[in-house]
Amino acid sequence: MTACAIEPAAANEENPVYAENPENAGSADGETPRTEDAITEDGQTPRSGNDGQTPWSANDGQTPRGTNGGQTPWSANGGQAPWSGSGETPRAGCVITVDGSYAARLARNGDSWFPERWTLDGPEPYAVPLPGNQPEEPGTEVQPMGDGRVLIRRFADGRHAFSLLYPTGPQTGELPLGAVECQEGTVLRLLPPAPGGEKAYALAVGPRSSAVWLVAGGAFGPEHLAEVPGRCSGGVWLDRAGRMLALDREAGGRTKAVVVDLERGGEVSPLLQIADGSDDRLLLADPDSGLLLISSDAPSPGCARLGWGVLGSTLPVRFPECLRVPGCAVTPFAIQPGQVLMPEGCGVALRVDGPMGSWVGLWRPAARQVLHLPAPEGWLAGAGLWTEEGELLLPYATPDTPCGVARWAAASVNGALTGEAEGTGEVGRAGEVGAGDAGPEDPEGGGASGGLTAAQSPAPGPPEPVVARPVPLQQAPLGNLVTK
C-alpha cells in the first residue's frame, strides 16, 4: 500500500473572511476554514476517512509556428500519441476551473516564480499575482478553486504541503491546510479540478498501489479517501457531482482505465477493456454527452492511437485516421459541454506538438478532418475551455498582454447522430465561421476510421445518473486491425 502520513498544519486564525473583494479572505461562507491542527475533545487528532501530411495553418497553408519557442516536448515516433511510458499527458500552461470562472498558473518574473490567478468570467480577463514570502520552485503545482482562492502544493523535505492563497490588498494571504508525507518512491500530484470547485484532490502513486487524497475542502485537512491496487496515472471526472473518478491503472504489465467511486469507500470497477493485451487509457470525458477521448494500442499493437467512444454505449471505440499527425503528438484538452445526446456534435480541441512548437487542432467526431490552426501568440499550451455555445477560449500571455483570452467561434452542427453531416461547419479564427468539407465517418467502416466497423443504432441514451457503466469494448469489432 502507498504509505502516506498527514502532517498537521499550523494554526491560522487571523485570516479574515474571504470575498471577491481582495481586502477580505477566508471561506466562501464567511467562516474561517478549519485546518489540520484541530483536535477532538479527547485531545486526539481527528482520523481521516476510510483509512500523413504536415499540418497547415488556416491562412497560408504553411506549417503553424509554435508559440513557445519550440520548447514543448514532441513525439518523433511517427506522430503517435504522447501517452507512452507513464501515460501522462503534457502539462498545460495553466489550470482552469470546470465552470471556466478562474484559472491559475505559475508565472515567472526574471528568475523568480510566483502563483497567479486569472479571473475569466468578467467582461475582460484580468490577473492577480499571489507572490509569497519567497519565490516558488519551478515544479510547484497550483489549482484554482471555485471561490477564487488558489490551492498550492509545495514539496520540501519529503512533505507535500497544501495551502490556499488569496489576495489581501497589496499582499497575499495564505491559509495552511496541512501536509501529506509519503514514503520514498511515492509520487504525489494534484488531480484535475473537480466539478463544483469546492474540493481538490491529489493522487499519490506508490510502488504497488495508489492513494486518492482530499487535500482541500475537507473538515480537518488532507483526508485519505481510497487505495487503488496498482500504479495509477491520468485522472478524469465522469460526473458533475465529483464522485466518479477515472484513473489509468497499470497492473500485470498492462494499463486499463478504471472507475473509483469516492462515495463508496473507493470502490473500483473496470471502465475500458478493448483487448486483453492492449493499453487502454481515458484522456477526456464529457458528462453531458458521454463523449470519451481514449488512447489505445488495440488497433495497432505497440503504437497508441487516439480514439473516441460514448459512455454506456454498445458501439465500439473508433480510431479516426485524421487524428494521426505524422511527426507530431496529438493530445485532446477540451470538449464542448452541454451537447446532451449529441456526442458526435461535440467540439474537441487538440494540442498538437511538433518540432516547430505547438498549435491547435479542432475536430468533431462527426467529421473526418481536423482543422489545424496556429495558436495565439503566447498561448499557455494545452489550456483552453469550450463554452456550450461552441466558443473555444484559449488563454495566452505576452509582454504586451500579460492576461489575454483568444476566442474561436464554431458553427453549430445539425447533423444526425447516424453520421449524416448536415451543415457540419468548421471553426474560423477571431470568430469567423466558414462551411467546411468535413464529412461524417463512413458508416460502412471505411474512410477515416481505417476499416473499423461502425454499425448504426438509435441515438445512445444518456449516461446512467450515478454509477458510470463500463464501456463494453472487449467485443468491439476492429476489422482487420487486430486479431479477433
Side-chain angles (χ1 to χ4, degrees):
M1 296 178 63
T2 303
C4 297
I6 302 175
E7 183 73 19
N12 189 356
E13 299 179 355
E14 298 180 358
N15 288 294
V17 176
Y18 176 84
E20 182 58 30
N21 186 340
E23 299 295 331
N24 300 321
S27 67
D29 59 5
E31 297 294 333
T32 302
R34 299 180 65 181
T35 56
E36 181 59 23
D37 66 334
I39 57 175
T40 59
E41 293 181 356
D42 59 2
Q44 300 300 318
T45 302
R47 297 177 61 87
S48 61
N50 55 341
D51 335 7
Q53 298 296 320
T54 302
W56 42 271
S57 66
N59 51 2
D60 57 7
Q62 302 300 318
T63 302
R65 295 187 62 84
T67 60
N68 59 351
Q71 298 178 0
T72 303
W74 62 283
S75 170
N77 62 345
Q80 302 307 314
W83 316 294
S84 59
S86 66
E88 296 295 336
T89 57
R91 179 177 297 182
C94 74
V95 182
I96 307 175
T97 57
V98 174
D99 65 359
S101 298
Y102 297 99
R105 68 171 184 141
L106 204 63
R108 188 172 183 175
N109 182 13
D111 295 332
S112 300
W113 296 87
F114 62 92
E116 188 176 70
R117 186 198 72 186
W118 289 26
T119 299
L120 304 178
D121 59 351
E124 295 291 338
Y126 65 91
V128 177
L130 298 172
N133 296 327
Q134 60 185 22
E136 305 292 347
E137 295 294 329
T140 300
E141 287 187 296
V142 293
Q143 185 173 118
M145 304 296 291
D147 59 6
R149 293 180 292 180
V150 173
L151 175 69
I152 186 169
R153 178 191 67 85
R154 301 183 178 103
F155 179 74
D157 299 327
R159 297 169 62 253
H160 301 268
F162 300 91
S163 296
L164 288 174
L165 307 178
Y166 49 86
T168 57
Q171 299 180 347
T172 301
E174 181 170 339
L175 177 67
L177 298 177
V180 175
E181 185 172 354
C182 299
Q183 67 178 6
E184 185 177 356
T186 298
V187 177
L188 186 144
R189 61 175 179 82
L190 293 177
L191 287 168
E198 298 177 354
K199 298 180 179 180
Y201 299 83
L203 180 68
V205 183
R208 297 180 180 86
S209 67
S210 303
V212 179
W213 289 79
L214 174 65
V215 296
F220 306 110
E223 300 178 15
H224 180 271
L225 299 181
E227 194 78 21
V228 182
R231 296 179 58 85
C232 294
S233 58
V236 177
W237 297 101
L238 298 178
D239 62 349
R240 294 292 183 186
R243 170 178 175 177
M244 310 302 292
L245 174 66
L247 297 173
D248 302 325
R249 180 174 67 177
E250 179 185 354
R254 296 297 177 186
T255 300
K256 305 289 183 181
V258 298
V259 179
V260 182
D261 190 335
L262 299 182
E263 290 190 5
R264 299 187 64 177
E267 180 180 274
V268 179
S269 58
L271 178 64
L272 292 179
Q273 178 74 10
I274 300 180
D276 290 337
S278 61
D279 290 325
D280 310 318
R281 296 181 172 93
L282 180 63
L283 306 179
L284 278 182
D286 175 55
D288 298 328
S289 63
L291 178 63
L292 307 177
L293 273 297
I294 293 163
S295 162
S296 176
D297 61 355
S300 52
C303 295
R305 292 278 301 274
L306 182 61
W308 68 278
V310 179
L311 186 67
S313 171
T314 57
L315 293 178
V317 164
R318 306 177 193 182
F319 298 88
E321 189 67 25
C322 64
L323 296 181
R324 305 180 71 182
V325 182
C328 301
V330 181
T331 309
F333 65 88
I335 301 178
Q336 180 182 354
Q339 307 300 298
V340 179
L341 301 181
M342 295 182 61
E344 290 91 342
C346 291
V348 179
L350 309 169
R351 169 181 175 176
V352 187
D353 296 315
M356 297 297 292
S358 300
W359 62 92
V360 180
L362 301 171
W363 171 77
R364 297 181 191 274
R368 66 173 59 175
Q369 291 184 354
V370 175
L371 182 63
H372 295 271
L373 299 172
E377 182 183 358
W379 178 42
L380 304 179
L385 182 78
W386 282 99
T387 67
E388 293 188 7
E389 294 74 23
E391 190 175 43
L392 178 62
L393 312 181
L394 299 176
Y396 67 92
T398 65
D400 294 333
T401 308
C403 177
V405 175
R407 298 175 179 269
W408 304 77
S412 60
V413 175
N414 298 319
L417 292 180
T418 58
E420 298 177 359
E422 300 177 0
T424 300
E426 293 182 350
V427 181
R429 184 168 184 170
E432 298 178 1
V433 179
D437 58 353
E441 293 278 355
D442 188 345
E444 300 299 326
S449 61
L452 299 182
T453 301
Q456 301 302 323
S457 70
E464 295 189 1
V466 178
V467 180
R469 288 173 50 196
V471 180
L473 299 176
Q474 193 166 17
Q475 294 78 32
L478 292 173
N480 58 359
L481 296 182
V482 296
T483 302
K484 293 184 179 178

